[in-house]
């Protein structure tokens, strides 16, 4: 009898543990789902601004291109036609361009929030080919109208057409 009552108590304990496991698994699923939704909501304004600039850079992507943001609100990759490329797999020039796109997008969001903005570029885009450089200049050309912008360079011939007064 003692063994049967002990077995019954252990079976009840196992059943309790089972219920606790199921409850915790459900809680984990609900919290993970909510976290993902909040992260998407937080990422959306930055992703939208970055996509504006990426469309300029890539000449209009017709929705085939998307930026992937990590938990730290930093770009970690690009998706094109359902194929994802990690940012560190891109060429140095492409990573440099993505960095500038991210800075412009962050500055735009700060400006929208009424915060002061300053964009400092030090020999930016030196690893960018001529075609992409022209696209990047299109993005940068109107940046001084919205943000205080400082461009430092050892290559003034590259930036002479930006419309600002060199100093």
């Amino acid at each position: 009898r003692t063994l049967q009552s002990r077995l019954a108590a252990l079976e009840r304990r196992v059943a309790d543990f089972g219920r606790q496991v199921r409850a915790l698994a459900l809680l984990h699923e609900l919290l993970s789902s909510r976290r993902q939704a909040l992260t998407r909501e937080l990422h959306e304004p930055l992703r939208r601004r970055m996509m504006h600039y990426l469309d300029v850079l890539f000449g209009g992507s017709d929705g085939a291109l998307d930026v992937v943001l990590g938990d730290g609100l930093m770009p970690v990759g690009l998706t094109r036609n359902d194929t994802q490329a990690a940012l560190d797999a891109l060429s140095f020039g492409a990573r440099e361009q993505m960095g500038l796109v991210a800075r412009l997008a962050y500055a735009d969001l700060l400006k929208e929030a009424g915060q002061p903005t300053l964009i400092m570029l030090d020999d930016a885009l030196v690893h960018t080919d001529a075609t992409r450089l022209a696209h990047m200049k299109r993005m940068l050309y109107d940046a001084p109208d919205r943000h205080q912008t400082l461009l430092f360079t050892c290559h003034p011939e590259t930036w002479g057409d930006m419309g600002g007064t060199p100093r």
Side-chain angles (χ1 to χ4, degrees), residues 36-153:
Q36 288 174 352
L38 287 172
T39 299
R40 278 192 304 274
E41 186 179 321
L42 185 62
H43 284 184
E44 186 53 30
L46 178 60
R47 190 196 71 73
R48 191 176 54 253
R49 288 305 304 159
M50 287 186 72
M51 288 308 303
H52 165 76
Y53 290 114
L54 289 174
D55 283 343
V56 172
L57 178 61
F58 293 111
S61 60
D62 299 327
L65 179 71
D66 200 7
V67 64
V68 180
L69 298 172
D71 287 339
L73 290 176
M74 292 299 296
V76 294
L78 290 173
T79 301
R80 180 173 278 206
N81 298 325
D82 297 325
T83 302
Q84 186 168 336
L87 202 59
D88 58 1
L90 301 176
S91 70
F92 189 79
R95 289 194 308 265
E96 186 178 45
Q97 294 156 26
M98 285 294 297
L100 184 51
V101 163
R103 280 183 258 167
L104 288 168
Y106 276 119
D108 288 347
L109 290 176
L110 286 170
K111 185 73 169 180
E112 287 174 16
Q115 299 298 313
T117 57
L118 170 65
I119 299 173
M120 291 178 58
L121 305 172
D122 185 8
D123 266 332
L125 305 172
V126 295
H127 300 282
T128 300
D129 62 72
T131 302
R132 290 253 177 95
L133 183 60
H135 293 301
M136 294 300 294
K137 282 182 173 183
R138 280 182 48 209
M139 282 182 241
L140 288 171
Y141 189 77
D142 68 331
D145 292 339
R146 297 184 319 277
H147 313 292
Q148 183 177 2
T149 306
L150 300 174
L151 174 71
F152 301 98
T153 185

